[in-house]
Amino acid sequence: LGYISMMVYAIMNILTGICVATANRSAEDDMEITLHEELTKHNSAISNLQRIFHENDDGSGTITASRLTRHLKDPTVRAYFKKLDLEPWHLQRFFDILRTDNE
């Protein structure tokens, strides 16, 4: 009876170890997938922002305050910023800070 109990305990230990190892591997895979998805979203957001501002560029590589204000009134641009949890005034304020630093 002691031998059987010891063997059952050993087998249960092995099965528990396998389950824990599988769960850990699964968690690592989930983390990698999540990181990859976040990086993809980040890169996509940057590309979209670059596209939005390049569309508004006159070829000089700069943007004026009046142009930015007009651009931020575009419903497509506003919707995109809302998707990024940004309000147009965030960008307007950032622009004001940059303009002040360059003066």
Side-chain angles (χ1 to χ4, degrees), residues 8-40:
V8 169
Y9 179 74
I11 291 172
M12 294 303 290
N13 241 356
I14 292 169
L15 291 176
T16 301
I18 291 171
C19 290
V20 168
T22 302
N24 283 340
R25 240 178 287 135
S26 180
E28 286 176 11
D29 290 345
D30 286 348
M31 180 60 86
E32 287 178 19
I33 290 169
T34 302
L35 288 174
H36 179 70
E37 288 172 355
E38 286 300 315
L39 285 173
T40 300

Coordinates of all heavy atoms in Angstrom, one line a residue, residues 8-40:
V8 N 1.7 6.8 -6.9 CA 0.6 7.7 -7.3 C 1.0 9.1 -7.1 O 0.8 10.0 -7.9 CB -0.7 7.4 -6.6 CG1 -1.8 8.5 -6.7 CG2 -1.3 6.0 -7.1
Y9 N 1.7 9.4 -5.9 CA 2.1 10.7 -5.6 C 3.2 11.2 -6.6 O 3.1 12.3 -7.1 CB 2.7 10.7 -4.2 CG 3.3 12.1 -3.7 CD1 2.5 13.1 -3.4 CD2 4.7 12.3 -3.7 CE1 3.0 14.3 -3.0 CE2 5.2 13.5 -3.3 CZ 4.4 14.5 -3.0 OH 4.9 15.7 -2.6
A10 N 4.1 10.3 -7.0 CA 5.1 10.7 -8.0 C 4.5 11.0 -9.3 O 4.9 11.9 -10.0 CB 6.1 9.5 -8.1
I11 N 3.6 10.2 -9.8 CA 2.9 10.4 -11.1 C 2.1 11.7 -11.0 O 2.2 12.5 -12.0 CB 2.0 9.2 -11.4 CG1 2.9 8.0 -11.7 CG2 1.1 9.5 -12.6 CD1 2.1 6.7 -11.9
M12 N 1.4 12.0 -10.0 CA 0.7 13.2 -9.8 C 1.6 14.4 -9.9 O 1.3 15.5 -10.5 CB -0.1 13.3 -8.5 CG -1.3 12.2 -8.5 SD -2.4 12.4 -9.9 CE -3.2 13.9 -9.4
N13 N 2.8 14.3 -9.2 CA 3.8 15.3 -9.3 C 4.3 15.6 -10.7 O 4.4 16.8 -11.1 CB 5.0 14.9 -8.4 CG 5.2 15.9 -7.3 OD1 4.6 16.9 -7.2 ND2 6.2 15.5 -6.4
I14 N 4.5 14.6 -11.4 CA 5.0 14.7 -12.8 C 3.9 15.4 -13.7 O 4.2 16.3 -14.4 CB 5.4 13.3 -13.4 CG1 6.6 12.8 -12.7 CG2 5.5 13.4 -14.9 CD1 6.9 11.3 -13.0
L15 N 2.6 14.9 -13.5 CA 1.6 15.5 -14.3 C 1.4 17.0 -13.9 O 1.1 17.8 -14.8 CB 0.2 14.7 -14.0 CG 0.2 13.3 -14.6 CD1 -1.1 12.6 -14.2 CD2 0.3 13.4 -16.1
T16 N 1.5 17.3 -12.7 CA 1.4 18.7 -12.2 C 2.5 19.6 -12.9 O 2.3 20.7 -13.4 CB 1.4 18.9 -10.7 OG1 0.4 18.1 -10.2 CG2 1.3 20.3 -10.3
G17 N 3.7 19.0 -12.9 CA 4.9 19.7 -13.5 C 4.6 19.9 -15.0 O 4.9 21.0 -15.5
I18 N 4.1 19.0 -15.7 CA 3.8 19.1 -17.1 C 2.7 20.2 -17.3 O 2.9 21.1 -18.2 CB 3.3 17.8 -17.7 CG1 4.5 16.8 -17.7 CG2 2.8 18.0 -19.1 CD1 4.1 15.4 -18.1
C19 N 1.7 20.2 -16.5 CA 0.7 21.2 -16.6 C 1.2 22.6 -16.4 O 0.9 23.6 -17.1 CB -0.5 20.9 -15.7 SG -1.5 19.5 -16.1
V20 N 2.0 22.8 -15.4 CA 2.6 24.1 -15.0 C 3.6 24.5 -16.2 O 3.5 25.7 -16.6 CB 3.4 24.0 -13.7 CG1 4.2 25.3 -13.5 CG2 2.4 23.8 -12.6
A21 N 4.4 23.6 -16.7 CA 5.3 24.0 -17.8 C 4.5 24.4 -19.0 O 4.8 25.4 -19.7 CB 6.2 22.8 -18.1
T22 N 3.4 23.7 -19.3 CA 2.6 24.1 -20.5 C 1.9 25.4 -20.3 O 1.9 26.2 -21.2 CB 1.5 23.0 -20.7 OG1 2.1 21.7 -20.9 CG2 0.6 23.3 -21.9
A23 N 1.5 25.7 -19.1 CA 0.8 27.0 -18.8 C 1.9 28.1 -18.9 O 1.6 29.2 -19.4 CB 0.2 27.0 -17.4
N24 N 3.1 27.9 -18.4 CA 4.1 28.9 -18.5 C 4.5 29.2 -20.0 O 4.7 30.3 -20.4 CB 5.4 28.5 -17.8 CG 5.3 28.6 -16.3 OD1 4.4 29.4 -15.8 ND2 6.1 27.9 -15.5
R25 N 4.6 28.1 -20.8 CA 4.9 28.3 -22.2 C 3.8 29.1 -22.9 O 4.0 30.0 -23.7 CB 5.1 26.9 -22.9 CG 6.4 26.8 -23.5 CD 6.6 25.4 -24.1 NE 6.8 24.5 -23.0 CZ 6.2 23.3 -23.0 NH1 5.5 22.9 -23.9 NH2 6.4 22.5 -22.0
S26 N 2.6 28.8 -22.6 CA 1.4 29.5 -23.1 C 1.4 30.9 -22.7 O 1.1 31.8 -23.6 CB 0.1 28.8 -22.6 OG -1.0 29.4 -23.2
A27 N 1.7 31.2 -21.5 CA 1.8 32.6 -21.1 C 2.9 33.4 -21.8 O 2.7 34.6 -22.2 CB 2.0 32.7 -19.5
E28 N 4.0 32.8 -22.0 CA 5.1 33.4 -22.8 C 4.7 33.7 -24.2 O 5.0 34.8 -24.7 CB 6.4 32.5 -22.8 CG 7.1 32.5 -21.4 CD 8.3 31.5 -21.5 OE1 8.7 31.0 -22.6 OE2 8.8 31.2 -20.4
D29 N 4.0 32.7 -24.8 CA 3.5 32.9 -26.2 C 2.5 34.1 -26.2 O 2.6 34.9 -27.1 CB 2.9 31.7 -26.7 CG 3.9 30.6 -27.0 OD1 5.1 30.8 -27.0 OD2 3.5 29.4 -27.1
D30 N 1.7 34.1 -25.2 CA 0.7 35.2 -25.2 C 1.4 36.6 -25.1 O 1.0 37.6 -25.7 CB -0.3 35.1 -24.0 CG -1.3 34.0 -24.2 OD1 -1.4 33.5 -25.4 OD2 -2.0 33.6 -23.3
M31 N 2.4 36.6 -24.2 CA 3.2 37.9 -24.0 C 3.8 38.3 -25.4 O 3.8 39.5 -25.7 CB 4.2 37.7 -22.9 CG 5.0 39.0 -22.7 SD 4.0 40.4 -22.2 CE 4.0 40.1 -20.5
E32 N 4.4 37.4 -26.1 CA 5.1 37.7 -27.3 C 4.1 38.2 -28.3 O 4.3 39.1 -29.1 CB 5.8 36.4 -27.9 CG 7.1 36.1 -27.1 CD 7.7 34.8 -27.6 OE1 7.5 34.4 -28.8 OE2 8.6 34.3 -26.9
I33 N 2.9 37.5 -28.4 CA 1.9 38.0 -29.3 C 1.4 39.4 -29.0 O 1.2 40.2 -29.8 CB 0.7 36.9 -29.3 CG1 1.1 35.6 -30.0 CG2 -0.5 37.5 -30.0 CD1 0.2 34.5 -29.8
T34 N 1.2 39.6 -27.7 CA 0.7 40.9 -27.2 C 1.8 42.0 -27.6 O 1.4 43.1 -28.1 CB 0.5 40.9 -25.7 OG1 -0.5 39.9 -25.4 CG2 0.0 42.3 -25.2
L35 N 3.0 41.7 -27.3 CA 4.1 42.7 -27.6 C 4.1 43.0 -29.1 O 4.3 44.1 -29.6 CB 5.4 42.2 -27.1 CG 5.7 42.2 -25.6 CD1 7.0 41.6 -25.3 CD2 5.6 43.7 -25.1
H36 N 4.0 41.9 -29.9 CA 4.1 42.1 -31.4 C 2.9 42.9 -31.8 O 3.0 43.8 -32.7 CB 4.0 40.7 -32.1 CG 4.0 40.8 -33.5 ND1 5.1 41.2 -34.2 CD2 3.1 40.5 -34.4 CE1 4.8 41.2 -35.5 NE2 3.6 40.8 -35.7
E37 N 1.7 42.7 -31.3 CA 0.5 43.4 -31.7 C 0.7 44.9 -31.3 O 0.3 45.8 -32.1 CB -0.7 42.9 -31.0 CG -1.2 41.6 -31.6 CD -2.3 40.9 -30.8 OE1 -2.7 41.4 -29.7 OE2 -2.8 39.9 -31.3
E38 N 1.2 45.2 -30.1 CA 1.4 46.6 -29.7 C 2.4 47.3 -30.6 O 2.3 48.4 -30.9 CB 1.9 46.6 -28.2 CG 0.8 46.3 -27.2 CD -0.4 47.3 -27.3 OE1 -0.2 48.5 -27.4 OE2 -1.5 46.8 -27.3
L39 N 3.5 46.6 -30.9 CA 4.5 47.2 -31.8 C 3.9 47.5 -33.2 O 4.2 48.5 -33.8 CB 5.7 46.3 -31.9 CG 6.7 46.3 -30.7 CD1 7.8 45.2 -30.9 CD2 7.3 47.7 -30.5
T40 N 3.1 46.6 -33.7 CA 2.4 46.8 -34.9 C 1.5 48.0 -34.9 O 1.5 48.8 -35.8 CB 1.7 45.5 -35.3 OG1 2.6 44.4 -35.4 CG2 1.0 45.7 -36.7

